[in-house]
């Protein structure tokens, strides 16, 4: 089960983006990119197809990755005057990077977004006062345990996972610097993202990571590695996407994902429209559609994602909402630090993990 099984853009998507068809304004349908694998299939079935059925507007869904390859490929295409897609999914850190590179995204007209009022302002990404991206889905990286490998209940504490000697050599953590470990440690042991804004704070966070590094069995860089570790029993607990764990559980696999009591790590996907797109009006229409209560509920029920408009607006019961999201403490990606101190954080991460 690899819900966000990313497709390597450099090998497949970039050539398509530079084709003559994409360079022509109206020689292609309205195009939306989505994370590859099961996410893309579910997005096509439960979102794009419903939009087409209601509006009679065809939507082409293409695969994107969630890494820098997609972001920089997209940027290069836009700078060359191409319109690779009309809507793409970006995280806040991607949006901040693109913002520094120039006016590469269209401003969105809030008057076209009737459902924007239900979306908390923290998910409105603005540049120079203009709305440039809109959050529409959230997903969590929680503590997931193979309950057959534990003597006690599923793990629900970062401190327990990091410090309990019972989890030595059976703990797995995300193995890339922006995978959530840095933010979680900064939040649980220090002052959150503000700690990461200074060299002294960064060193303190990585010293803490170094202190529990010997307990870690697996630093995974792909969800399939973590899944295999859980299946084989080499890993008893560790960081893993909550939605994927829920899907594994529905298949009968003995895994339980818990929102850690200190804080859950939450990512947010934003829709953004490249400045070269000829379909900005359709992009706004699709964004507004995705913020509709019934579609937000579909993201939760069918794709196990967090509805950003909240439980009541999405007309979800407390039980259904709490299955995919939490109203408890949340830590989000340290986007500012990840942009402003990217080189330093990557260097510290490599030294910590490889030493």
């Amino acid at each position: 089960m690899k819900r966000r099984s990313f497709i390597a853009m450099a090998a497949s998507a970039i050539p398509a983006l530079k084709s003559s068809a994409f360079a022509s304004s109206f020689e292609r349908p309205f195009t939306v990119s989505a994370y590859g694998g099961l996410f893309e299939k579910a997005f096509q079935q439960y979102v794009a197809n419903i939009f087409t059925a209601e509006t009679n507007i065809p939507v082409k869904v293409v695969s994107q990755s969630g890494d820098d390859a997609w972001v920089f490929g997209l940027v290069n295409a836009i700078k060359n005057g191409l319109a690779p897609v009309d809507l793409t999914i970006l995280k806040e850190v991607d949006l901040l990077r693109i913002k520094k590179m120039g006016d590469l995204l269209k401003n969105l007209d809030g008057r076209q977004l009737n459902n924007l009022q239900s979306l908390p302002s923290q998910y409105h990404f603005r540049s120079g006062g203009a709305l440039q991206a809109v959050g529409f889905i959230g997903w969590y990286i929680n503590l997931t345990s193979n309950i057959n490998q534990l003597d006690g209940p599923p793990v629900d504490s970062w401190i327990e996972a990091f410090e309990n000697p019972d989890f030595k050599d059976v703990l797995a953590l995300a193995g890339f610097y922006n995978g959530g470990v840095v933010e979680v440690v900064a939040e649980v042991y220090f002052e959150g993202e503000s700690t990461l804004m200074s060299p002294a704070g960064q060193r303190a966070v990585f010293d803490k990571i170094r202190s529990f590094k010997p307990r870690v069995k697996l630093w995974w860089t792909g969800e399939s590695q973590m899944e295999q570790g859980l299946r084989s029993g080499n890993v008893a607990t560790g960081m893993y996407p909550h939605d994927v764990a829920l899907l594994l559980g529905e298949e009968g696999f003995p895994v339980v994902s818990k929102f850690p009591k200190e804080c859950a790590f939450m990512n947010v996907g934003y829709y953004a429209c490249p400045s070269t797109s000829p379909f900005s009006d359709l992009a706004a229409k699709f964004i507004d559609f995705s913020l509709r209560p019934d579609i937000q509920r579909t993201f939760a029920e069918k794709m196990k994602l967090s509805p950003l408009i909240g439980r009541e607006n999405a007309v979800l019961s407390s039980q259904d909402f709490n299955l995919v999201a939490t109203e408890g403490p949340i830590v989000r990606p340290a986007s500012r630090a990840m942009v402003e101190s990217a080189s330093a954080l990557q260097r510290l991460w490599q030294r910590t993990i490889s030493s």
Side-chain angles (χ1 to χ4, degrees):
M1 177 64 66
K2 294 172 276 296
R3 205 209 26 89
R4 279 183 299 275
S5 178
F6 297 141
I7 295 175
M9 184 178 180
S12 59
I14 288 293
L17 299 187
K18 295 184 178 180
S19 69
S20 59
F22 282 96
S24 300
S25 293
F26 294 95
E27 292 182 1
R28 61 166 176 79
F30 175 62
T31 304
V32 181
S33 65
Y35 297 135
L38 292 180
F39 181 99
E40 180 190 352
K41 293 178 182 178
F43 186 86
Q44 178 78 65
Q45 179 179 356
Y46 299 119
V47 184
N49 288 354
I50 302 303
F51 178 83
T52 298
E54 291 187 10
T55 64
N56 205 32
I57 298 170
V59 179
K60 181 178 182 181
V61 179
V62 298
S63 296
Q64 71 164 90
S65 68
D67 56 17
D68 291 347
W70 175 263
V71 175
F72 292 117
L74 182 71
V75 165
N76 288 334
I78 296 171
K79 286 184 174 181
N80 284 311
L82 303 180
V85 293
D86 304 299
L87 272 181
T88 189
I89 304 174
L90 299 171
K91 297 186 287 291
E92 184 183 44
V93 66
D94 304 324
L95 292 165
L96 290 173
R97 286 173 177 164
I98 292 174
K99 180 178 177 179
K100 295 178 68 174
M101 298 179 195
D103 297 325
L104 302 176
L105 301 175
K106 281 189 180 293
N107 294 337
L108 301 171
D109 186 349
R111 294 170 298 182
Q112 296 179 291
L113 302 173
N114 298 321
N115 295 305
L116 188 64
Q117 60 186 352
S118 299
L119 185 73
S121 59
Q122 68 196 79
Y123 303 128
H124 303 189
F125 182 86
R126 298 183 180 275
S127 178
L131 182 67
Q132 283 203 330
V134 173
F136 73 104
I137 54 169
W139 63 90
Y140 292 88
I141 306 295
N142 280 351
L143 281 167
T144 296
S145 303
N146 181 330
I147 56 176
N148 288 346
Q149 298 297 318
L150 299 178
D151 292 330
V155 184
D156 65 353
S157 164
W158 293 116
I159 292 176
E160 182 182 6
F162 295 153
E163 299 182 9
N164 189 331
D166 290 344
F167 300 127
K168 180 177 174 59
D169 289 332
V170 292
L171 173 67
L173 299 176
F176 33 95
Y177 83 101
N178 56 356
V181 176
V182 173
E183 288 94 337
V184 166
V185 170
E187 183 71 19
V188 171
Y189 293 98
F190 302 97
E191 301 300 322
E193 183 173 5
S194 62
T195 306
L196 297 170
M197 299 304 294
S198 71
Q202 293 165 10
R203 289 193 296 271
V205 168
F206 280 91
D207 283 345
K208 175 57 70 173
I209 295 173
R210 194 173 292 110
S211 73
F212 61 74
K213 178 197 165 190
R215 301 179 184 276
V216 181
K217 174 73 170 183
L218 172 67
W219 294 95
W220 60 266
T221 55
E223 292 172 11
S224 59
Q225 293 174 292
M226 177 57 171
E227 179 186 340
Q228 181 57 38
L230 287 168
R231 288 187 180 277
S232 67
N234 288 330
V235 169
T237 192
M239 300 176 72
Y240 197 52
H242 179 62
D243 51 313
V244 183
L246 289 177
L247 293 171
L248 285 172
E250 286 186 349
E251 292 183 347
F253 188 61
V255 294
V256 173
S257 175
K258 302 289 287 186
F259 292 99
K261 59 187 178 184
E262 298 92 353
C263 59
F265 181 70
M266 180 187 182
N267 272 300
V268 172
Y270 291 77
Y271 280 135
C273 179
S275 60
T276 46
S277 167
F279 295 120
S280 57
D281 287 345
L282 286 183
K285 191 175 185 71
F286 195 88
I287 292 172
D288 200 46
F289 169 83
S290 296
L291 293 178
R292 247 172 42 186
D294 60 319
I295 302 304
Q296 286 281 293
R297 188 167 64 250
T298 293
F299 281 124
E301 293 176 345
K302 302 296 185 181
M303 301 173 70
K304 310 305 181 188
L305 298 167
S306 174
L308 295 188
I309 64 172
R311 175 176 62 81
E312 293 184 357
N313 288 326
V315 198
L316 283 167
S317 68
S318 295
Q319 181 179 355
D320 289 341
F321 179 85
N322 291 333
L323 178 66
V324 299
T326 180
E327 294 174 314
I330 292 172
V331 59
R332 294 183 175 85
S335 300
R336 277 186 57 222
M338 291 295 171
V339 171
E340 297 177 14
S341 302
S343 296
L345 291 173
Q346 290 182 59
R347 184 169 58 252
L348 285 167
W349 180 263
Q350 290 302 323
R351 289 177 180 172
T352 300
I353 300 305
S354 60
S355 62

